């Protein structure tokens, strides 16, 4: 019994000493942990852990402290050497770099802001070009249709072909009683050529947004029949409701007795002959 009490006291004493030893080391561990956390935070300010790990060689998890110190000293020597070579300290270089980056970002933003209206204008140009191309086709079809319509008043037929790339306009005319289509107006008679030109002018007139239309000596090469048909066509065209807001001026040295001068919408002005007969 005495021996058992001695051993109990012995082990209780050992237990108390071990508990005190563990408590003192726990406090030391906590102090070291606080130091590690503070040092880690300071290191993160200089360089993130992920960034630092990126500089490690492949397959290398970490580098010994002595090696890091050696690399740090080597890097400092390189900085000093480069500073002496360029006659500018690292602080000056970093300050200049910061200012240049600031200017670069400002210019980059200015360029971006300038490109936005430029891109909008480019889109507008493409849209206008597309509309112009479509409008050109529509005008060509409308002029060709009207050209055939006015030729049909005398029993003729024809169409207008326009090549916008080559800047050419071709007339295909089939005169009444002729089976062959005429492409060269020089092979027509004077009256036929004048009437075809009149039909083309009338056709083009519908595509021109002008409040005035004037035609000078349009019937100089026409015979009496062609002149009568042409004048009637011009007057009918001028009286079209579509042209109610336009004024037409027809100038001719020929006889206009066939024109109804008493009509309320027609006014005839005759000039005195330059050489009285």
């Amino acid at each position: 019994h005495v021996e058992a009490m001695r051993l109990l006291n012995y082990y209780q004493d050992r237990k108390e000493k071990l508990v005190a030893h563990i408590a003192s080391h726990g406090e030391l561990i906590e102090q070291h942990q606080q130091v590690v956390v503070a040092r880690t935070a300071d290191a993160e300010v200089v360089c993130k852990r992920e960034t630092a790990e990126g500089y490690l060689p492949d397959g290398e998890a970490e580098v010994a402290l002595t090696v890091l110190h050696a690399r740090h000293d080597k890097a400092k020597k390189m900085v000093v050497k480069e500073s002496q070579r360029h006659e500018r300290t690292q602080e000056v270089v970093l300050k200049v770099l910061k200012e240049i980056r600031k200017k670069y970002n400002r210019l980059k933003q200015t360029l971006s802001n300038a490109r936005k209206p430029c891109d909008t204008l480019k889109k507008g140009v493409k849209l206008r070009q597309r509309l112009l191309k479509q409008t050109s086709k529509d005008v060509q079809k409308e002029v060709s249709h009207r050209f055939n319509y006015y030729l049909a008043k005398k029993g003729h037929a024809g169409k207008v072909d326009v090549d916008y790339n080559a800047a050419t306009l071709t007339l295909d005319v089939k005169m009444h009683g002729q089976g062959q289509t005429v492409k060269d107006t020089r092979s027509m008679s004077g009256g036929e050529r004048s009437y075809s030109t009149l039909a083309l002018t009338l056709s083009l007139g519908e595509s021109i947004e002008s409040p005035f239309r004037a035609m000078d000596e349009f019937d100089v090469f026409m015979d009496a029949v062609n002149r009568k048909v042409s004048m009637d066509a011009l007057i009918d065209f001028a009286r079209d409701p579509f042209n109610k807001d336009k004024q037409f001026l027809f100038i001719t040295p020929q006889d206009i007795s066939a024109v109804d001068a008493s009509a309320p919408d027609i006014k005839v002005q005759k000039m005195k002959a330059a050489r009285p007969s």
Side-chain angles (χ1 to χ4, degrees):
H1 177 74
V2 174
E3 183 65 18
M5 289 298 295
R6 186 182 68 78
L7 292 175
L8 176 63
N9 293 331
Y10 172 77
Y11 284 114
Q12 284 181 342
D13 183 58
R14 291 287 297 172
K15 177 183 177 183
E16 290 175 356
K17 289 181 179 179
L18 290 172
V19 169
H21 183 74
I22 291 172
S24 63
H25 281 74
E27 293 176 357
L28 185 61
I29 290 173
E30 185 178 353
Q31 291 175 1
H32 283 295
Q33 286 179 340
Q34 292 176 356
V35 172
V36 170
V37 170
R39 296 287 177 83
T40 303
D42 294 339
E44 290 274 345
V45 173
V46 179
C47 179
K48 297 293 183 181
R49 185 179 186 86
E50 296 79 8
T51 305
E53 290 176 347
Y55 292 108
L56 293 174
D58 294 338
E60 191 173 343
E62 59 182 48
V63 181
L65 182 60
T66 55
V67 176
L68 289 176
H69 279 305
R71 291 180 181 178
H72 180 251
D73 293 339
K74 183 179 179 181
K76 286 172 65 176
K77 290 179 181 178
M78 291 179 62
V79 170
V80 173
K81 182 179 179 181
E82 290 297 317
S83 298
Q84 293 174 350
R85 186 166 69 91
H86 294 287
E87 298 180 354
R88 290 193 296 181
T89 63
Q90 183 184 13
E91 291 76 12
V92 174
V93 172
L94 291 175
K95 183 178 179 181
V96 173
L97 176 62
K98 184 178 180 180
E99 293 176 354
I100 291 176
R101 278 180 175 170
K102 199 182 291 184
K103 291 180 181 179
Y104 169 76
N105 292 331
R106 186 166 60 249
L107 291 174
K108 187 177 180 181
Q109 184 63 39
T110 302
L111 180 61
S112 177
N113 295 336
R115 279 177 175 169
K116 290 179 181 178
C118 184
D119 293 339
T120 302
L121 290 174
K122 286 181 178 179
K123 290 180 181 178
V125 169
K126 289 182 179 179
L127 175 61
R128 285 171 174 79
Q129 287 176 339
R130 186 167 64 250
L131 293 176
L132 176 62
K133 187 175 181 180
Q134 183 60 45
T135 302
S136 300
K137 291 181 179 179
D138 294 341
V139 169
Q140 188 265 331
K141 291 178 181 179
E142 179 65 20
V143 170
S144 182
H145 171 72
R146 285 289 181 177
F147 181 66
N148 183 68
Y149 169 76
Y150 288 117
L151 287 179
K153 286 183 174 291
K154 275 200 62 177
H156 310 318
K159 66 176 182 177
V160 178
D161 290 325
V162 180
D163 187 342
Y164 291 103
N165 294 326
T168 58
L169 184 147
T170 306
L171 300 180
D172 290 346
V173 181
K174 186 176 182 180
M175 306 308 295
H176 179 64
Q178 298 180 10
Q180 185 177 4
T181 300
V182 178
K183 290 182 177 292
D184 189 355
T185 56
R186 290 175 296 182
S187 61
M188 299 178 183
S189 65
E192 292 172 343
R193 189 185 306 117
S194 295
Y195 189 79
S196 298
T197 303
L198 174 63
L200 176 63
T201 305
L202 290 173
S203 304
L204 292 172
E206 301 225 7
S207 303
I208 300 173
E209 294 297 329
S210 173
F212 298 98
R213 304 280 170 79
M215 300 184 67
D216 184 20
E217 298 187 0
F218 58 89
D219 57 350
V220 290
F221 296 109
M222 296 182 185
D223 55 26
V225 176
N226 283 326
R227 186 178 301 112
K228 176 68 167 61
V229 172
S230 299
M231 186 61 71
D232 290 342
L234 285 172
I235 293 175
D236 290 341
F237 175 73
R239 284 173 172 168
D240 192 299
F242 182 75
N243 297 316
K244 63 181 180 180
D245 57 343
K246 298 178 179 64
Q247 184 175 358
F248 292 81
L249 306 174
F250 304 129
I251 304 171
T252 175
Q254 307 295 332
D255 179 30
I256 57 172
S257 57
V259 177
D260 184 10
S262 62
D265 56 350
I266 296 177
K267 185 174 183 180
V268 177
Q269 296 281 357
K270 289 186 178 181
M271 297 179 63
K272 294 182 179 180
R275 297 185 180 90
S277 56

